[in-house]
Amino acid sequence: MKKKILGKTNLEVSIIGFGGIPIQNLSMREAKGLIREVLDAGINFLDTAQGYGDSEVKIGEGIKGRRGDCILATKSPCRNAQQARSHVEKALRRLGTDYIDLYQIHHVSKPYDLEQVLAPRGPIDELVKIKKEGKIRHIGITGHNPDLLQRAIEQSPELETIQFPFNIVEDGEPKRLLLNSAKKLNVGIIIMKPLAGGVIPEPQLSLRWVLQQGVDTVIPGMILSSEVRENATIGDEPLPLSSEELFRLKDAVKDLEENFCRRCMYCMPCPEGVPIYFIQELGDKVKVEAVKKMCQDMYARLDKTVEDCTECGECEKKCPYELPIREMLKEKHKLLTGIEVN
Ligand code: SF4
Ligand code: SF4
């Protein structure tokens, strides 16, 4: 497995990492077995989050006796100092470890989130204190809005990594600017959703394409042994795409590109509080059988759904891809519930 230095953290991470969302769907016994296979395949970077159900607990069980073989990253939506401290303590307990290699501030996707994160005596200042205590070793930030992440790393030298969705469909100038800025500042680059939430039909080509873009590590979700083996093989020898393979990948995603939400969040906020980008994502992922039930359950738990949309059209004025959001949301509601919205 090829490794890279993750920016100024100096951590040496496998270029294929482990995305910890889907492991929620496995039993504890299956999850432990999978984590062992992941580590045996040379994948040493494991990413999870407080918000991924029992993913932290399962990863903690899976790495028992092998803490030295892995680099553990977790995250939470901490927006003040008190939350930062209590969330880190909770993660340490759930992961069954006495240190976390990388603690990331999760889902900073609105200007107000960023204000809170950068505020004096806010979460970053507290995480710096916790780092001095040895409970976490590095600090990062994650989000879907490339402009905000760029502002974050330009304003806070304490942020050592960024994590955001990136693939051939979810590309564009703001992400390229973010990549350039991160490289200039020696900030580690972690890529989530390299398969656009599982909807890109050529997963291996997609992973290789992302690895070609100068990122440090890519963290696809995995629940099958075959996925671990296939992804690890790519990490062993990440060949650049030939022109014929690039053509194949572009051809495979051309239908997606027409009406595909890139989760940039420029359409937010919705005056009714509808989490537009999240519903778009669940509605794409629900087509993948392995995570169908999880997506339906997550949608059922939302405070606001497509049923709360008043069709004001504000979101469509702000979407840079000119997506017919209102129609898309109705389709996704039907996919997620089996019921038409009136
Ligand atoms: S059209 Fe619906 S989803 Fe879009 S901003 Fe208006 S209420 Fe929100
Ligand atoms: S609907 Fe448009 S603006 Fe909103 S997150 Fe998706 S791509 Fe971005």
Side-chain angles (χ1 to χ4, degrees), residues 260-268 276-277 280 315 318-321 323 325:
F260 185 72
C261 168
R262 275 81 170 169
R263 299 183 279 262
C264 62
M265 300 191 64
Y266 294 141
C267 57
M268 305 287 282
I276 302 168
Y277 78 97
Q280 298 270 34
C315 50
K318 293 184 273 182
C319 176
Y321 304 98
L323 294 180
I325 299 174

Side-chain angles (χ1 to χ4, degrees), residues 167-227:
N167 53 65
I168 196 163
V169 186
E170 297 179 84
D171 192 2
E173 200 192 351
K175 290 202 176 159
R176 295 292 165 169
L177 291 172
L178 175 61
L179 286 170
N180 285 343
S181 178
K183 280 191 178 302
K184 214 162 62 194
L185 296 165
N186 195 23
V187 166
I189 302 167
I190 303 161
I191 299 302
M192 58 172 156
K193 308 193 194 300
L195 313 178
V199 297
I200 292 184
E202 290 275 5
Q204 300 198 9
L205 295 185
S206 185
L207 277 181
R208 283 170 53 205
W209 182 88
V210 177
L211 286 168
Q212 251 178 282
Q213 313 305 313
V215 307
D216 295 324
T217 185
V218 180
I219 52 166
M222 310 174 208
I223 48 173
L224 301 173
S225 301
S226 56
E227 290 169 338

Side-chain angles (χ1 to χ4, degrees), residues 18-39 45-63 72-75 94-95 219-225 227-228 285 290-291 294 298:
F18 177 78
I21 295 181
I23 200 174
Q24 299 170 71
N25 295 327
L26 299 182
S27 68
M28 183 60 86
R29 192 179 58 80
E30 291 165 335
K32 280 167 76 169
L34 188 81
I35 295 292
R36 300 282 153 157
E37 288 174 34
V38 163
L39 296 177
F45 184 70
L46 309 183
D47 174 77
T48 180
Q50 178 181 282
Y52 298 166
D54 60 2
S55 167
E56 285 184 328
V57 179
K58 285 176 172 154
I59 289 178
E61 284 295 316
I63 61 167
L72 263 188
T74 191
K75 51 194 171 300
R94 281 162 50 105
L95 287 161
I219 52 166
M222 310 174 208
I223 48 173
L224 301 173
S225 301
E227 290 169 338
V228 174
K285 275 191 181 168
V291 291
M294 182 180 81
M298 285 169 98

